[in-house]
């Protein structure tokens, strides 16, 4: 169908230029098919026993390690329409508009679509923000240690990209997800770090945390694990006493 092909090319061109908010919202194919009929075509593709299912499953397999590219934590279990099919039915079956993701991120994003250059979430096929360490964290002292995450603006990024990263962070509630995972990991580190501190003091604790930070950086400088270990290693309180709480 020429309209679908044109719409797919239009989407890819705008996504490449980081301005997916400019993609036209078209509700039908030159008077032939309505939005409901276009969305029905997607349902026929996604049905487990339908002929289009192999394509659906192939797209689900694209994210590395089966990990959701939106949150870098959950397991891919469904496909998300980057530009939602409710508003962009012509893109219902456009592969570039379909992103394998976890159920939580799919639910959080819902029918959200960008209205300007700053309020689009990051598209894992087109937006590469892996080189800059935009995810940062700090340790909060208390009865038990906690790690709080935030998105840090980058000086060499445009205002629009910095805003998009912040919007992505908020939309998928990454701060909450990462802090919960960090709390669980910190609990699991307690026995080992207590032993290291007893045998070698603060330097042993910090050295162990730094090794784990460097190891996780090999996966991604912006993964919650690397950022957590960096924050813990830089906290004198945690290395001295907080690790044992």
């Amino acid at each position: 169908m020429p309209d679908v092909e044109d719409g797919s090319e239009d989407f890819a061109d705008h996504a490449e230029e980081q301005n997916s908010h400019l993609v036209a919202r078209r509700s039908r194919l030159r008077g032939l098919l309505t939005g409901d009929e276009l969305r029905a075509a997607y349902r026929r593709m996604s049905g487990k026993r339908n002929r289009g299912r192999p394509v659906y499953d192939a797209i689900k397999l694209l994210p590395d390690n089966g990990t959701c590219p939106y949150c870098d934590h959950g397991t891919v279990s469904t496909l998300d329409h980057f530009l939602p099919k409710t508003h962009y039915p012509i893109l219902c079956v456009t592969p570039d508009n379909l992103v394998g993701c976890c159920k939580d991120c799919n639910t959080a994003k819902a029918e959200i679509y960008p209205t300007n250059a700053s309020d689009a979430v990051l598209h894992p096929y087109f937006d590469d923000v892996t080189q800059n360490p935009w995810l940062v964290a700090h340790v909060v002292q208390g009865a038990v240690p906690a790690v709080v995450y935030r998105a840090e603006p980058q000086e060499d990024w445009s205002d629009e990209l910095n805003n998009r990263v912040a919007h992505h962070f908020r939309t998928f509630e990454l701060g909450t997800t990462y802090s919960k995972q960090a709390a669980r990991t910190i609990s699991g580190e307690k026995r080992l770090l207590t032993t290291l501190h007893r045998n070698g003091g603060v330097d042993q604790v910090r050295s162990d945390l730094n090794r784990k930070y460097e190891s996780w950086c090999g996966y991604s400088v912006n993964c919650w694990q690397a950022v957590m270990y960096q924050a813990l290693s830089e906290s004198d309180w945690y290395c001295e006493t907080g690790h044992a709480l």
Side-chain angles (χ1 to χ4, degrees):
M1 294 183 182
D3 281 5
V4 173
E5 294 176 0
D6 291 346
S8 297
E9 292 178 4
D10 182 57
F11 172 79
D13 290 342
H14 282 96
E16 190 72 41
E17 297 298 321
Q18 299 185 342
N19 56 18
S20 57
H21 64 289
L22 297 179
V23 175
R25 295 172 61 188
R26 299 172 58 189
S27 60
R28 62 170 60 233
L29 292 178
R30 297 182 184 176
L32 298 177
L33 295 176
T34 65
D36 287 340
E37 290 169 326
L38 290 165
R39 287 185 283 271
Y42 172 75
R43 290 193 294 273
R44 288 194 293 272
M45 182 185 80
S46 60
K48 290 186 177 181
R49 296 185 178 181
N50 292 341
R51 286 185 296 176
R53 183 68 187 202
V55 176
Y56 181 95
D57 290 337
I59 296 173
K60 278 178 60 179
L61 291 174
L62 290 177
D64 292 341
N65 306 312
T67 301
C68 176
Y70 285 144
C71 64
D72 194 28
H73 170 66
T75 300
V76 172
S77 60
T78 188
L79 291 186
D80 173 65
H81 287 82
F82 184 80
L83 293 182
K85 59 183 181 294
T86 300
H87 303 286
Y88 299 85
I90 200 170
L91 300 175
C92 277
V93 295
T94 296
D96 284 343
N97 192 46
L98 298 174
V99 178
C101 68
C102 68
K103 183 179 179 181
D104 287 345
C105 284
N106 186 244
T107 300
K109 185 168 168 289
E111 300 300 323
I112 296 173
Y113 64 93
T115 58
N116 59 64
S118 295
D119 68 358
V121 298
L122 299 173
H123 194 309
Y125 305 159
F126 296 96
D127 300 312
D128 184 4
V129 294
T130 60
Q131 301 304 311
N132 289 49
W134 61 266
L135 183 66
V136 298
H138 67 276
V139 176
V140 176
Q141 300 182 27
V144 293
V147 176
V148 176
Y149 292 81
R150 70 181 187 278
E152 182 78 2
Q154 303 296 298
E155 292 184 359
D156 57 336
W157 285 355
S158 66
D159 289 342
E160 288 79 9
L161 182 55
N162 277 313
N163 289 337
R164 286 187 67 194
V165 170
H167 178 69
H168 187 99
F169 185 84
R170 292 191 302 270
T171 298
F172 296 113
E173 300 181 347
L174 300 186
T176 299
T177 297
Y178 295 165
S179 289
K180 287 180 179 179
Q181 295 306 310
R184 185 172 184 269
T185 303
I186 288 171
S187 295
E189 294 280 8
K190 179 177 177 180
R191 178 176 296 182
L192 171 62
L193 295 180
T194 298
T195 299
L196 291 176
H197 187 271
R198 181 169 59 248
N199 295 335
V202 172
D203 290 343
Q204 281 275 53
V205 172
R206 181 167 281 123
S207 177
D208 180 74
L209 295 171
N210 279 328
R211 283 196 298 270
K212 291 169 180 172
Y213 161 67
E214 292 172 359
S215 180
W216 276 105
C217 279
Y219 169 71
S220 170
V221 295
N222 291 306
C223 69
W224 67 264
Q225 297 94 330
V227 175
M228 176 197 69
Y229 282 118
Q230 181 181 34
L232 294 176
S233 69
E234 293 175 350
S235 169
D236 291 337
W237 170 79
Y238 181 78
C239 292
E240 291 169 359
T241 59
H243 64 273
L245 298 178

